Amino acid sequence: MRNEIPLEENLNSGHLACPGCGGSLSMRLALKALGRKTYLVLTACCWSIIDGPFPYSAVKIPLMHTAFETAGSAASGIRAALDILGKKDITVMAWAGDGGTFDIGIQALSGAAERNEDFIYSCYDNEAYMNTGIQRSSGTPWGAWTTTTPESKGEQKKKIMEIMAAHRIPYAATLSPAYPEDFIRKYKKAKSIKGTKFMHILSPCPPGWKTSSEQSMKLSRMAVESGVFPLYEIENGTKYTLNNPTADFKIKPINEYISMQGRFRHLNKEQIKFMQENVTSEWQRLLRKLKYA
Amino acid sequence: MKEVTTGNHAVSYGAMLSRAQVIAAYPITPQTQIVELLSNFCATGKLKAKFLKVESEHSVMAASIGASLAGARAFTATSGQGLALMHEMIHWAANGRLPIVMADVNRSMAPGWSIWTDQNDSLSQRDTGWIQLYCESSQEVTDSIIQGFKIAEKVYLPVMVILDAFVLSHTSEVIDLPDIKLVDKYLPPFKARDMMDMKNPRAFGGLVTPDFNFELKYKIQEAMNQTIPVAKWADREFKRILGRSYGIIEAYKCEKADTILVTSGTITSTSRYVINQLHAQGKKNVGILKIRMFRPFPAKEVVAVLSKAKKVAVIDRNIGYGVGGIFCQEVKAAFGNEKKHPEFFNFITGIGGRDVTPKDIQGIIDYTETHKKPKEDIIWVGLRK
């Protein structure tokens, strides 16, 4: 199979992302796939800063900044306006972090998904409130250090994909910037489907994960290979498809993925074992869903 | 066309005649009938609009902002708690310079739960940059929605059209429904000055450093300054094309008045009834100043009317806790740099939807006329102590 990455660039250089930011590469890839007939809705998140201060903007498409909890509702409003004005060919994409999606924005997102509003909702999940300086969110994994979990986060990461699947939206997918072909294919697919599309991107954050910036793509790949963040699609909330990097795919132990990140440095062997058990059981759960879909 | 309608349905007719294009809605008593009728208009094709049934008032305003920024004429309605939930986005709409029109049916804030009227919900939004018009009749409600879009789309500030819960929202009266062709003439289709546009892709509402933000806020004040002449123009145009006029304030029977009541909302109608009777009896020294536009506050116009009076009785259906009536504060502030001013009496009444009767108004007049100065900072009317 030949998958091409479009040459078209809709994200300018000179944006304000940190080195090694998974969020900026993800936006770059998403906009390559969607093209310029796209309106972007950004809620409060790192990207509010990354795009640049007034009067600058790093993207080559119209952009609406909006309040933290309003990605789902503001995008619904734009979609409604475009439809009534006869501009149905324009794609609307909401873009929010894990805080804006798992926590404060989940009501508006759930509302929009229930109404099956025709737009793409992208969550670039860096697993904490990174823009405010690394505070835990319900997207933060168990065991992670953040400034508000100074010892260790004691709760599991919210299963956002299951929540979205429960809305029976036409399309939901997990994406990793380390797999650009898969990434582009999924955005193109999302663009071609009417209704609410939910894109969950695991987005490494060197300052928040306490990793060095050149390791972001390696970490992204290891998250997929270890089953911490498997790549899959859910159609209509029930039909699961796994997008394994290889045909004989088996998940690798999480040890290396964990040991590369300062946010997990305090974990002892027992705790890492507990994490591994969780990852394995979630992976098996996913496999069962594939079987019964 | 004559129509018997409630204040709420008068709002819906106003939005329909204005050809609103996106209506985001969430139910709340006593506003719900507004969006119910609009939903019906959309379903039956009477109004070609997208009707968005969102999951909260916060989302109502966020969706309206998105719709307006993408170039559609956006309308919505809310009440009390709903307006309070919107508060963050109320600021956003004004700071984003979006010409959204919204009706607010005044509802007392909880706790305890109340669905009845007072003005603390809308007055809590007074410093957000929204234009506020307070209405006394269903006719004025319909006309103010239409005028609201005319003003909003000229100055690029959102407009809140305000009506009392139940006293106006659920009371039926005959109104003259304007011919939609005449409304079209008055209010042409919305063409946004700035909007999300592929041909000219820009970012709206992004990070703004201290280098620019001060000026952006200054421009809102400038737009507020323009609003007074623009609203007068919109009212004159309305008179020319649709035959009715309200003014931004109205001096009623003030020619020979040495005592003037300052009113807003339906208390104005009740006061008119009392004043008409007094004038019929030959007692012509009492008049009314109705404040229709509260934001921007038409200070010069208010002073011009009130400076002729010896005594001014401001009737507030609201309270700025720790200070007093909010209309009274604004009226007094308007006289701040005047050498002379009348004696101000601040009456607070009708809070939480308690009836304000002609007898109460007569009592206010009697108190004002029999006292050289008010005995208390706040004179409570109808309060059970």
Side-chain angles (χ1 to χ4, degrees):
Chain A
M1 192 173 78
R2 205 171 109 99
N3 253 319
E4 285 184 3
I5 309 295
L7 292 173
E8 177 181 339
E9 291 290 359
N10 292 318
L11 171 60
N12 291 310
S13 58
H15 60 72
L16 301 181
C18 306
C21 173
S24 58
L25 180 55
S26 297
M27 178 69 87
R28 184 178 167 209
L29 291 170
L31 296 186
K32 275 174 175 287
L34 297 178
R36 287 202 197 163
K37 265 193 175 177
T38 305
Y39 282 12
L40 179 61
V41 180
L42 273 187
T43 69
C45 61
C46 289
W47 250 99
S48 314
I49 308 300
I50 295 172
D51 190 63
F54 172 85
Y56 303 107
S57 178
V59 294
K60 296 181 185 174
I61 56 172
L63 188 171
M64 174 199 190
H65 289 271
T66 189
F68 213 163
E69 64 279 47
T70 64
S73 44
S76 298
I78 292 179
R79 181 75 270 162
L82 293 177
D83 287 351
I84 200 77
L85 296 170
K87 301 176 182 174
K88 288 183 193 266
D89 58 334
I90 296 173
T91 302
V92 177
M93 177 168 73
W95 187 270
D98 48 296
T101 303
F102 290 57
D103 288 347
I104 197 168
I106 197 162
Q107 176 181 320
L109 168 59
S110 174
E114 184 267 334
R115 299 189 302 274
N116 199 22
E117 298 281 357
D118 185 21
F119 64 81
I120 299 172
Y121 189 108
S122 302
C123 170
Y124 70 112
D125 176 8
N126 50 29
E127 302 197 310
Y129 290 89
M130 297 309 187
N131 196 29
T132 46
I134 325 168
Q135 293 79 37
R136 65 88 85 184
S137 76
S138 60
T140 304
W142 183 91
W145 165 90
T146 68
T147 60
T148 51
T149 49
E151 289 178 339
S152 188
K153 191 191 173 198
E155 301 82 26
Q156 294 287 350
K157 184 181 175 87
K158 197 185 269 184
K159 304 288 179 278
I160 194 75
M161 286 296 281
E162 289 185 26
I163 292 170
M164 296 319 294
H167 287 77
R168 300 293 185 263
I169 52 172
Y171 188 66
T174 59
L175 301 88
S176 165
Y179 297 86
E181 292 88 354
D182 182 74
F183 198 110
I184 296 278
R185 179 186 65 79
K186 284 173 176 167
Y187 266 96
K188 284 193 168 170
K189 187 170 176 179
K191 189 183 171 180
S192 73
I193 296 169
K194 207 173 150 54
T196 308
K197 287 80 63 174
F198 182 77
M199 316 297 265
H200 183 198
I201 307 161
L202 185 70
S203 178
C205 172
W209 291 12
K210 304 293 169 208
T211 54
S212 53
S213 54
E214 76 280 5
Q215 287 177 334
S216 290
M217 287 310 101
K218 191 178 177 192
L219 278 163
S220 292
R221 194 168 296 115
M222 288 163 73
V224 172
E225 290 176 347
S226 62
V228 168
F229 193 80
L231 295 179
Y232 59 99
E233 294 160 281
I234 313 172
E235 280 159 279
N236 302 312
T238 51
K239 192 190 164 203
Y240 281 68
T241 310
L242 196 61
N243 316 117
N244 287 345
T246 57
D248 57 346
F249 184 78
K250 289 213 168 48
I251 58 168
K252 291 179 182 166
I254 62 166
N255 300 53
E256 199 187 347
Y257 175 68
I258 297 300
S259 66
M260 278 171 72
Q261 302 176 52
R263 62 174 172 160
F264 295 122
R265 194 169 53 194
H266 55 281
L267 297 180
N268 61 32
K269 271 187 186 162
E270 279 304 302
Q271 288 169 316
I272 293 172
K273 192 173 158 248
F274 176 74
M275 271 184 103
Q276 179 66 66
E277 283 164 9
N278 268 312
V279 168
T280 308
S281 85
E282 283 299 325
W283 170 250
Q284 283 162 354
R285 201 179 157 79
L286 180 63
L287 294 182
R288 286 200 297 277
K289 279 187 200 152
L290 283 157
K291 210 165 139 191
Y292 294 113
Chain B
M1 191 179 73
K2 300 282 181 191
E3 181 88 25
V4 176
T5 182
T6 61
N8 273 345
H9 285 176
V11 173
S12 321
Y13 282 120
M16 188 259 280
L17 292 166
S18 303
R19 298 191 193 274
Q21 291 171 303
V22 174
I23 298 161
Y26 189 77
I28 181 167
T29 306
Q31 166 280 128
T32 312
Q33 296 171 333
I34 296 173
V35 294
E36 277 178 343
L37 187 59
L38 283 168
S39 161
N40 184 281
F41 287 156
C42 293
T44 55
K46 273 191 187 163
L47 175 61
K48 203 172 159 268
K50 274 275 187 180
F51 190 85
L52 277 177
K53 289 143 272 192
V54 295
E55 81 304 322
S56 73
E57 285 94 350
H58 194 278
S59 287
V60 161
M61 191 43 62
S64 302
I65 288 165
S68 186
L69 192 60
R73 185 173 279 164
F75 176 82
T76 188
T78 192
S79 224
Q81 308 298 128
L83 184 64
L85 181 59
M86 282 181 189
H87 180 69
E88 180 190 24
M89 305 318 288
I90 292 283
H91 277 285
W92 203 288
N95 284 333
R97 305 296 303 272
L98 296 167
I100 297 162
V101 172
M102 172 167 68
D104 175 58
V105 183
N106 274 144
R107 167 177 164 168
S108 191
M109 296 302 297
W113 279 122
S114 167
I115 52 174
W116 296 276
T117 197
D118 68 44
Q119 298 168 325
N120 267 55
D121 62 345
S122 54
L123 290 173
S124 297
Q125 309 297 335
R126 70 177 175 176
D127 299 328
T128 53
W130 281 62
I131 295 160
Q132 291 197 341
L133 303 174
Y134 287 79
C135 300
E136 64 165 310
S137 70
S138 292
Q139 185 72 66
E140 187 179 5
V141 164
T142 300
D143 295 348
S144 294
I145 299 287
I146 301 165
Q147 285 195 5
F149 279 111
K150 185 85 172 173
I151 299 166
E153 291 170 11
K154 190 79 178 172
V155 297
Y156 283 91
L157 287 175
V159 172
M160 198 181 294
V161 175
I162 297 143
L163 55 152
D164 294 314
F166 299 105
V167 186
L168 186 49
S169 71
H170 285 63
T171 304
S172 294
E173 55 184 333
V174 177
I175 71 161
D176 177 30
L177 268 191
D179 180 349
I180 194 156
K181 280 182 203 142
L182 293 179
V183 178
D184 285 344
K185 198 175 156 199
Y186 175 75
L187 186 69
F190 173 46
K191 280 205 184 92
R193 172 181 65 181
D194 283 317
M195 58 189 271
M196 296 181 91
D197 181 9
M198 282 188 315
K199 287 181 206 119
N200 182 18
R202 283 181 295 162
F204 294 88
L207 180 73
V208 52
T209 62
D211 273 348
F212 294 101
N213 205 353
F214 196 177
E215 284 70 24
L216 293 177
K217 303 297 190 250
Y218 165 78
K219 284 185 171 202
I220 295 173
Q221 176 57 23
E222 262 196 332
M224 276 287 178
N225 290 338
Q226 287 167 18
T227 299
I228 289 176
V230 164
K232 287 179 179 171
W233 161 79
D235 194 53
R236 279 198 306 274
E237 282 292 288
F238 200 87
K239 172 87 178 165
R240 185 173 69 79
I241 298 169
L242 290 139
R244 279 183 298 275
S245 163
Y246 300 91
I248 56 172
I249 58 168
E250 181 194 344
Y252 184 71
K253 301 203 171 178
C254 287
E255 296 80 8
K256 293 177 181 165
D258 47 34
T259 295
I260 296 179
L261 309 181
V262 176
T263 63
S264 60
T266 54
I267 285 178
T268 308
S269 315
T270 311
S271 302
R272 281 186 206 270
Y273 171 80
V274 174
I275 298 292
N276 286 348
Q277 284 192 329
L278 291 177
H279 279 243
Q281 291 158 13
K283 183 175 162 44
K284 300 192 173 177
N285 64 329
V286 192
I288 301 170
L289 173 67
K290 164 190 170 181
I291 296 183
R292 178 169 177 249
M293 175 180 274
F294 178 76
R295 274 293 178 273
F297 193 76
K300 231 187 272 170
E301 288 78 359
V302 166
V303 168
V305 174
L306 296 183
S307 54
K308 293 174 199 149
K310 289 198 183 83
K311 292 174 182 173
V312 167
V314 185
I315 308 176
D316 274 298
R317 197 172 211 156
N318 61 73
I319 178 161
Y321 295 112
V323 188
I326 295 168
F327 277 76
C328 190
Q329 291 170 41
E330 303 263 344
V331 169
K332 282 182 183 169
F335 277 92
N337 284 333
E338 301 294 322
K339 282 196 187 107
K340 267 181 66 185
H341 66 79
E343 198 64 47
F344 295 108
F345 294 69
N346 188 192
F347 296 90
I348 291 187
T349 189
I351 300 283
R354 183 158 300 169
D355 269 347
V356 180
T357 64
K359 209 175 141 196
D360 294 326
I361 303 296
Q362 187 61 55
I364 287 168
I365 295 167
D366 292 345
Y367 183 104
T368 310
E369 291 196 321
T370 54
H371 290 75
K372 216 173 156 195
K373 281 173 181 294
K375 276 202 290 190
E376 308 132 289
D377 293 336
I378 299 171
I379 308 145
W380 303 87
V381 178
L383 180 75
R384 290 197 289 267
K385 282 191 185 171

